[in-house]
């Protein structure tokens, strides 16, 4: 188990380095620079900016400098937000994304597993039909539709919750984005869980347990959930990384200062260091979650060999 | 006639004293009408449209930063409600006869938010910092008229060589290289706000962080988190703090206009940055006087690349295209927020300038169309041999609507085959600057209220000259205007230059923009009369809601 974990851990690094290298050069070769705007800069001003941010060095030297900075944990200064370093921006944005994404995923996991299990257990009954119908609806309707609808209903018409903003992370500002973000995940997880649970419930050992007269709740919670949840766990890794870092639409609609919005703003502004910092963090998270899932999978499923 | 000369001198002295008295008596403060009941909670919630890139006065380059900076920092001078120049950190000033030397007197009670006195040394430091290459300000050139400032920004002279000196702790003298009639307007501009020397030297690039920053304006920074909000509180050390009514300002960077509208509807915002462009008429019906629309010192125009075919040496074609556009329909039906149709590159409302128009503007639509078609033929095109034209614009709903409308007008009126190219912002900018286009969407918002803000950019070697327009006569007129101290003569030179530009057709002006804000009825002190849309929270106050309801 230890050697498997170490092997998986070491295997993750080359991916990250390739990601950094590709992102660095792709950003630099994109048309337009961080300082191009409606006001065209004179040669002297452009030269001052290039000198300050070392953009006048050969690109390979810039790349090596960047790697050296990264090795020291320094993501560099932001080009668009000169009052901040990328480390400061990420340390502000990441907790927002983590908080929103974390809550969404937790809610999605609990509700999705319960609804999926229940639907499987009550297969072909009205409970199953309702659950299946709702999850299909959840998957079909994108968040850019549900989020404004929620805002219209709960903020504008009913006036229960704020329409947007982070407001220093107040609870009321989080309800709508978390719900909007959690809904499609609930739908997906319940679908995965239902399918997986049906398969498990049809297995011989469950039939034996039923024949022995073991109560349904014990069959469900003690014997069926553990094997049935494996596909959910393998989905959970990349999904969690994605939901934490990629809730761009939700962050835009609710004007939340998360990592997703930095990534979009950074790319549009050609804020090289901010994009690289965000990409590296997103990449590292995806790699880390996949790594965690692999380890968890190995722990839960005795069939996995390491 | 010595008695006449004496009388004239007396009049001049009297007028000067009177104007000085007026300057010193004017206050920058909320002008609360008698009988207004103020709310106990003086909190103003403002939408600022986007995230503030920088709160460093010398580095900020956009109007979003400006909205907050005008509250947090102040320059030697400031603006009144209508954009008029008013004393601020400097209580008075003198200008030498040749218009080259300005002497500013700092008011004795001018203090930073930490209670320390604002000194002439801080002013000198702030001005030098703007030109210093180490600061790498994108606006370094805005003070190019100050002696040696250009050389400093080019790294050819030291900041200490700038034409600005502290004569004593409360007097600053600035020497210009050439007379600049709008220099006082610049002294009120955001980039020339005063920062505390010791504070900047202590914290460097991080001096604007909450906890580090020391402010010179009516408000001080309390909280700033990118994407969340900025909170500013009344600065008790501000020289006119006793007249500031608002206690707290919350600035929300909401980039989505629909979210901003919903936040206004739910009471989270008192003042929006903008409104969703397609909802103007509905919102006007619902909100009536709460929806403010005012002309903005800005122009929407089309740049025609004069260095490539078909516009190379072909002003007749450009004129035909300009004549074939119905600006009235465009501003009424396409943009529809009260934009003002324009034929001059200098927009409506610029100080000391009369907006120009063409003689053909007076023609009836049919006559104008006939003339446009005639010119189109003379330029070498016809229905049988139509012009094929590519029009480039950046991704934006308004630009898209305008592009479709003008393509349709050109096609319908002249038979031009127009293809539209929609480009991502930075790609668009690169292409337009490098001249990789035929016809492109363009626009400009004034930094300061002066004609030069618009006409300077069409000089042959100006980096903003997107159409690559070259006309020695035009360059000379702009140069003469820049040296002219007589207001009327200067205005005439500018009008002559603009008319020349208009008739060479490197650009097709379309309309003067407007600003649109939703402002709650309980917000007092907003008139919308500042042509640059500068808002100062120190002028605002929150009216008691009960009184508001009864109004």
């Amino acid at each position: 188990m230890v050697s498997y974990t170490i092997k998986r851990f070491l295997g993750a690094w080359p991916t990250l380095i390739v990601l950094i290298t590709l992102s660095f050069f792709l950003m630099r070769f994109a048309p337009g620079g961080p300082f191009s705007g409606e006001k065209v800069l004179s040669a002297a001003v452009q030269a001052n900016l290039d000198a300050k941010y070392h953009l006048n060095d050969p690109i390979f030297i810039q790349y090596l400098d960047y790697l050296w900075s990264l090795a020291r944990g320094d993501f560099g200064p932001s080009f668009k937000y000169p009052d901040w370093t990328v480390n400061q921006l990420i340390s502000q944005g990441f907790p927002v994304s983590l908080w929103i994404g974390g809550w969404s995923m937790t809610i999605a996991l609990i509700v999705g597993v319960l609804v999926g299990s229940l639907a499987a257990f009550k297969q072909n009954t009205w409970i199953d039909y309702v659950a299946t119908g709702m999850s299909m609806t959840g998957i079909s309707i994108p968040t850019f539709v549900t989020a404004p609808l929620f805002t219209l209903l709960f903020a504008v018409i009913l006036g229960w919750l704020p329409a947007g903003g982070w407001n220093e992370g107040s609870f009321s500002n989080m309800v709508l984005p978390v719900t909007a973000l959690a809904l499609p995940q609930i739908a997906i997880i319940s679908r995965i869980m239902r399918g997986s649970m049906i398969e498990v419930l049809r297995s011989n050992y469950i039939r034996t347990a039923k024949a022995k007269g073991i109560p349904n709740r014990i069959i469900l919670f003690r014997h069926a959930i553990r094997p049935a949840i494996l596909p959910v766990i393998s989905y959970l890794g990349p999904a969690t990384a994605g939901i934490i870092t990629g809730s761009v639409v939700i962050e835009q609609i609710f004007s939340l200062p998360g990592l997703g919005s930095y990534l979009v703003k950074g790319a549009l502004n050609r804020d090289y260091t901010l994009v690289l910092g965000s990409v590296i963090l997103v990449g590292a998270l995806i790699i880390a979650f996949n790594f965690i899932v692999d380890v968890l999978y190995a722990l839960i499923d005795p069939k996995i060999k390491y | 006639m010595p008695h006449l000369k004496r009388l004239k001198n007396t009049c001049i002295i009297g007028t000067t004293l009177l104007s000085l008295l007026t300057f010193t008596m004017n206050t920058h403060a909320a002008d609360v009408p008698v009988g207004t009941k103020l709310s106990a909670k003086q909190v103003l919630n403002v939408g600022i449209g986007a995230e503030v890139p920088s709160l460093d006065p010398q580095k900020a380059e956009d109007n979003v930063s400006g909205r907050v900076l005008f509250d947090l920092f102040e320059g030697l001078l400031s603006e009144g409600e209508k954009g008029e120049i008013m004393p601020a950190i400097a209580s008075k000033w003198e200008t030498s006869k040749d218009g080259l030397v300005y002497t500013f007197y700092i008011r004795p009670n001018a203090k930073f938010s930490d209670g320390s006195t604002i000194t002439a040394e801080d002013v000198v430091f702030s001005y030098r910092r703007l030109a210093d290459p180490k600061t790498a300000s994108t606006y370094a050139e805005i003070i190019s008229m100050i002696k040696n400032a250009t050389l400093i920004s080019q790294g050819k002279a030291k900041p200490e060589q700038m034409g600005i000196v502290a004569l004593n702790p409360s007097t600053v003298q600035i020497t210009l290289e050439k007379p600049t009639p709008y220099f006082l307007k610049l002294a009120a501009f955001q980039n020339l706000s005063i920062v505390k020397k010791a504070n900047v030297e202590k914290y460097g690039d991080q001096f604007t962080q909450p906890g580090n920053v020391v402010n010179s304006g009516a408000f001080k920074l309390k909280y700033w988190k990118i994407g969340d909000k900025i909170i500013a509180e009344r600065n008790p050390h501000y020289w006119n703090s006793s007249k500031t009514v608002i206690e707290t300002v919350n600035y929300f960077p909401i980039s989505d206009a629909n979210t901003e509208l919903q936040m206004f509807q739910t009471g989270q915002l008192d003042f929006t940055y903008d409104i969703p462009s397609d909802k103007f008429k509905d919102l006007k019906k619902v909100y009536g006087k709460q929806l403010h629309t005012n002309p903005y010192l800005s122009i929407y125009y089309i740049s025609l690349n004069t260095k490539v075919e078909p516009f190379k040496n072909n002003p007749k074609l450009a004129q035909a295209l300009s004549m074939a556009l119905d600006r009235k329909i465009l501003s009424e039906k396409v943009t529809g927020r009260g934009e003002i149709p324009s034929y001059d590159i200098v927009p409506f409302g610029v100080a000391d300038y009369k907006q120009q128009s063409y003689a053909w503007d007076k023609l009836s639509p049919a006559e104008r169309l006939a003339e446009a078609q005639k010119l189109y033929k003379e330029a070498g095109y016809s229905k049988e041999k139509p012009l094929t034209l590519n029009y480039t614009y950046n991704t934006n709903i308004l630009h898209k609507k305008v592009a479709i409308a003008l393509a349709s007008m050109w096609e319908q009126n002249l038979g031009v085959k127009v293809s539209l190219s929609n480009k991502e912002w930075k790609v668009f900018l690169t292409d337009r600057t490098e001249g990789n286009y035929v016809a492109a969407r363009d626009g400009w918002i004034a930094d300061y209220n002066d004609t030069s803000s618009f006409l300077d950019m069409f000089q042959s070697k100006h980096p903003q000259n997107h159409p690559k327009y070259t006309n020695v006569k035009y360059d000379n007129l702009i140069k003469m205007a820049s040296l002219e101290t007589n207001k009327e003569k200067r205005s005439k030179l500018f009008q002559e230059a603009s008319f020349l530009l208009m008739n060479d057709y490197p650009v097709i002006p379309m309309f003067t923009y407007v600003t649109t804000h939703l402002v709650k009825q309980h917000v007092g002190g907003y008139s919308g009369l500042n042509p640059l849309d500068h808002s100062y929270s120190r002028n605002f106050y929150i009216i008691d809601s009960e009184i508001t309801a009864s109004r």
Side-chain angles (χ1 to χ4, degrees):
Chain A
M1 179 70 189
V2 175
S3 66
Y4 170 81
T5 309
I6 292 170
K7 214 191 306 177
R8 295 287 300 124
F9 180 76
L10 291 176
W13 287 97
T15 316
L16 197 60
I17 290 166
V18 169
L19 180 77
I20 294 167
T21 309
L22 270 177
S23 309
F24 182 91
F25 287 102
L26 280 174
M27 272 308 289
R28 297 301 162 112
F29 292 132
F35 306 113
S36 56
E38 194 79 75
K39 179 183 166 68
V40 182
L41 303 179
S42 69
V45 168
Q46 186 67 53
N48 291 341
L49 286 158
D50 288 349
K52 186 178 170 79
Y53 293 99
H54 304 289
L55 293 174
N56 49 359
D57 290 337
I59 193 155
F60 195 68
I61 300 293
Q62 289 181 46
Y63 172 67
L64 291 179
D65 281 348
Y66 187 72
L67 286 185
W68 175 235
S69 293
L70 273 186
R72 288 175 287 135
D74 180 8
F75 285 101
S78 166
F79 291 72
K80 176 70 179 176
Y81 307 108
D83 304 12
W84 304 85
T85 63
V86 174
N87 289 49
Q88 286 174 318
L89 291 175
I90 286 176
S91 66
Q92 284 191 7
F94 185 55
V96 174
S97 299
L98 194 66
W99 202 239
I100 295 282
W103 272 113
S104 305
M105 218 55 212
T106 307
I107 292 167
L109 185 63
I110 294 167
V111 179
V113 166
L114 284 176
V115 171
S117 304
L118 196 66
F121 217 75
K122 301 281 182 188
Q123 200 187 352
N124 297 330
T125 66
W126 67 269
I127 295 174
D128 184 25
Y129 298 144
V130 169
T132 311
M134 282 176 73
S135 69
M136 280 311 291
T137 314
I139 292 168
S140 315
I141 304 177
T143 46
F144 62 79
V145 175
T146 50
L149 282 176
F150 282 175
T151 312
L152 188 68
L153 180 65
F154 296 107
V156 179
I157 297 172
L158 298 171
W160 292 349
L161 294 162
W166 178 241
N167 197 19
E168 299 171 60
S170 85
F171 176 76
S172 60
N173 283 66
M174 276 201 294
V175 175
L176 288 181
V178 165
T179 312
L181 203 53
L183 276 182
Q185 297 302 327
I186 291 173
I188 294 167
I189 290 172
S190 67
R191 291 280 299 166
I192 297 171
M193 192 65 195
R194 181 183 174 276
S196 168
M197 182 63 91
I198 286 171
E199 208 174 301
V200 170
L201 290 176
R202 283 177 187 162
S203 61
N204 291 336
Y205 77 96
I206 296 289
R207 247 184 248 141
T208 311
K210 278 184 182 170
K212 281 183 175 176
I214 295 172
N216 282 345
R217 68 188 159 80
I218 293 178
I219 290 175
L220 184 66
F221 290 107
R222 193 174 293 173
H223 302 293
I225 274 200
R226 194 167 142 155
I229 211 167
L230 283 173
V232 174
I233 287 175
S234 57
Y235 167 75
L236 222 55
T240 307
I243 207 170
I244 288 171
T245 56
S247 54
V248 180
V249 175
I250 290 294
E251 288 180 12
Q252 284 295 113
I253 292 171
F254 292 103
S255 287
L256 303 176
L259 206 60
S261 64
Y262 286 173
L263 199 58
V264 174
K265 282 178 197 165
L268 293 175
N269 294 324
R270 307 289 192 270
D271 194 341
Y272 301 146
T273 44
L274 183 58
V275 173
L276 279 169
S278 309
V279 165
I280 290 166
L281 193 64
V282 171
L285 273 173
I286 291 172
I287 291 167
F289 275 103
N290 277 312
F291 168 73
I292 292 166
V293 164
D294 283 351
V295 174
L296 273 179
Y297 221 88
L299 277 174
I300 293 169
D301 191 349
K303 285 183 283 184
I304 301 276
K305 295 264 179 10
Y306 27 81
Chain B
M1 304 271 252
H3 60 284
L4 270 181
K5 196 176 176 185
R6 203 179 306 129
L7 182 68
K8 195 179 163 190
N9 285 342
T10 313
C11 285
I12 291 169
I13 293 166
T15 314
T16 311
L17 281 174
L18 193 67
S19 60
L20 200 64
L21 192 68
T22 313
F23 283 142
T24 47
M25 279 180 72
N26 269 334
T27 54
H28 315 209
D31 183 16
V32 185
V34 179
T36 304
K37 192 181 174 192
L38 291 174
S39 169
K41 198 179 168 191
Q42 289 296 327
V43 179
L44 182 68
N45 296 301
V46 187
I48 51 173
E51 182 50 58
V52 167
S54 175
L55 285 182
D56 183 333
Q58 276 78 52
K59 288 184 190 168
E61 56 175 346
D62 59 301
N63 56 355
V64 172
S65 301
R67 174 64 188 89
V68 187
L69 281 171
F70 282 127
D71 284 352
L72 296 179
F73 293 92
E74 195 164 68
L76 287 168
L77 307 180
S78 183
E79 290 178 359
E81 187 57 30
K82 294 177 186 170
E84 69 276 23
I85 294 304
M86 295 179 72
I89 285 172
S91 58
K92 57 181 181 174
W93 62 91
E94 288 161 2
T95 312
S96 66
K97 277 183 185 171
D98 58 4
L100 290 176
V101 181
Y102 286 78
T103 309
F104 293 92
Y105 299 92
I106 299 172
R107 60 180 77 240
N109 60 339
K111 287 181 179 172
F112 286 111
S113 57
D114 62 353
S116 60
T117 303
I118 297 174
T119 65
E121 199 54 47
D122 293 309
V123 178
V124 172
F125 173 78
S126 304
Y127 276 55
R128 284 178 182 167
R129 187 170 178 263
L130 181 58
D132 193 340
K134 283 182 198 159
T135 310
S137 172
T138 52
Y139 263 77
E141 284 164 337
I142 204 162
I143 51 166
S144 60
M145 73 293 294
I146 298 180
K147 199 176 173 186
N148 291 333
T150 304
L151 289 176
I152 294 164
S153 67
Q154 290 172 345
K156 293 173 184 167
K158 290 180 178 174
E160 296 75 33
Q161 292 173 272
M162 191 190 265
I164 179 167
V165 286
L167 296 179
N168 60 52
S170 63
T171 313
V172 179
Q173 193 170 73
I174 299 172
T175 307
L176 308 186
E177 281 180 353
K178 60 177 183 180
T180 309
Y182 59 89
F183 181 69
L184 291 175
K185 291 175 184 172
L186 287 184
F189 191 57
Q190 64 197 43
N191 291 114
L192 292 174
S193 295
I194 309 307
V195 295
K196 183 172 173 168
K197 185 184 175 194
N199 184 236
V200 177
E201 285 176 345
K202 185 177 177 187
Y203 293 107
D205 285 343
Q206 300 276 304
F207 93 94
T208 55
Q209 301 290 319
N212 295 354
V213 69
V214 173
N215 299 112
S216 56
F219 293 85
K220 57 179 181 173
L221 184 67
K222 186 190 173 195
Y223 173 90
W224 181 21
K225 187 171 180 179
I226 293 280
D228 182 6
K229 64 177 172 181
I230 293 169
I231 304 176
E233 286 181 334
R234 190 170 67 85
N235 171 13
H237 297 289
Y238 178 59
W239 62 270
N240 204 22
S241 174
S242 61
K243 302 277 175 61
T244 308
V245 179
I246 296 289
E247 287 292 335
T248 306
V249 191
N250 296 312
Y251 308 88
F252 293 90
I254 314 296
S255 53
D256 185 280
N258 285 301
T259 305
E260 210 189 18
L261 172 63
Q262 285 166 339
M263 288 176 74
F264 181 82
Q265 289 169 326
T266 55
Q268 285 175 271
L269 288 182
D270 299 313
F271 199 121
T272 68
Y273 176 77
D274 203 355
I275 58 160
S277 57
D278 53 339
K279 292 180 182 165
F280 178 78
K281 282 176 186 164
D282 293 338
L283 291 173
K284 191 70 193 166
K285 275 183 203 162
V286 175
Y287 290 105
K289 284 181 183 173
Q290 290 184 80
L291 179 56
H292 295 256
T293 308
N294 292 295
Y296 193 26
L297 286 193
S298 54
I299 191 86
Y300 194 111
Y301 63 97
I302 304 166
S303 275
L304 305 174
N305 192 341
T306 59
K307 296 295 174 210
V308 298
E309 295 296 344
F311 298 112
K312 194 177 176 183
N313 305 321
N314 201 351
K316 276 186 183 175
L317 175 65
Q319 184 180 351
L321 292 174
S322 181
M323 290 178 80
L325 294 177
D326 192 329
R327 290 155 177 83
K328 197 163 178 273
I329 288 181
L330 203 69
S331 54
E332 279 177 9
K333 307 288 181 197
V334 180
T335 58
R337 300 199 289 185
E339 286 83 358
I340 303 159
S342 298
Y343 298 90
D344 192 340
I345 198 70
V346 183
F348 172 82
V350 170
D352 307 318
Y353 184 84
K354 187 175 176 289
Q355 212 185 12
Q356 306 287 296
S357 191
Y358 293 106
W360 52 256
D361 175 39
K362 309 289 179 295
L363 297 176
S364 70
E367 287 171 329
R368 192 195 291 189
L369 192 56
E371 182 66 21
Q373 284 166 348
K374 190 183 138 213
L375 286 165
Y376 184 65
K377 273 189 183 169
E378 284 174 11
Y381 299 95
S382 61
K383 274 186 183 174
E384 294 73 36
K385 190 196 160 194
L387 166 72
T388 53
L389 180 68
N390 182 263
Y391 179 80
T392 311
Y393 64 97
N394 58 296
T395 312
N396 176 291
I397 188 73
L398 174 75
H399 302 331
K400 187 179 179 179
K401 280 162 73 177
V402 170
I404 291 169
L406 63 89
S408 156
M409 286 179 191
W410 281 336
E411 192 150 2
Q412 198 178 335
N413 295 336
L414 300 174
V416 182
K417 304 291 176 201
V418 186
S419 59
L420 300 177
S421 295
N422 175 19
K423 291 186 179 174
E424 188 263 351
W425 177 231
K426 293 275 183 177
V427 177
F428 172 76
L429 289 174
T430 308
D431 283 352
R432 197 176 60 182
T433 308
E434 291 175 0
N436 299 327
Y437 74 95
V438 180
R441 193 283 305 170
D442 217 323
W444 190 245
I445 301 168
D447 288 323
Y448 46 90
N449 189 353
D450 191 80
T451 320
S452 62
S453 204
F454 293 93
L455 293 184
D456 277 3
M457 60 186 176
F458 296 102
Q459 294 172 96
S460 306
K461 290 182 180 171
H462 199 283
Q464 200 73 30
N465 182 0
H466 296 141
K468 315 295 175 198
Y469 174 60
T470 318
N471 187 326
V472 178
K473 197 179 170 192
Y474 180 84
D475 291 350
N476 286 337
L477 283 167
I478 297 295
K479 196 177 175 187
M480 281 159 70
S482 75
L483 296 169
E484 182 58 64
T485 50
N486 182 292
K487 200 191 275 187
E488 282 177 17
K489 283 183 185 170
R490 186 171 180 265
S491 181
K492 277 185 182 164
L493 285 167
F494 273 138
Q495 283 171 34
E496 199 181 329
S498 186
F499 203 65
L500 185 66
L501 179 83
M502 286 165 68
N503 286 292
D504 281 346
Y505 291 94
V507 290
I508 302 178
M510 310 273 273
F511 53 81
T512 298
Y513 274 107
V514 289
T515 57
T516 45
H517 301 293
L518 280 163
V519 185
K520 290 276 183 193
Q521 270 185 314
H522 61 243
V523 176
Y526 175 70
S527 68
L529 295 175
N530 188 307
L532 286 162
D533 197 34
H534 292 163
S535 288
Y536 298 82
S537 300
R538 63 172 189 241
N539 294 338
F540 296 154
Y541 51 92
I542 306 294
I543 305 162
D544 188 276
S545 55
E546 286 175 26
I547 305 288
T548 307
S550 66
R551 287 203 300 181

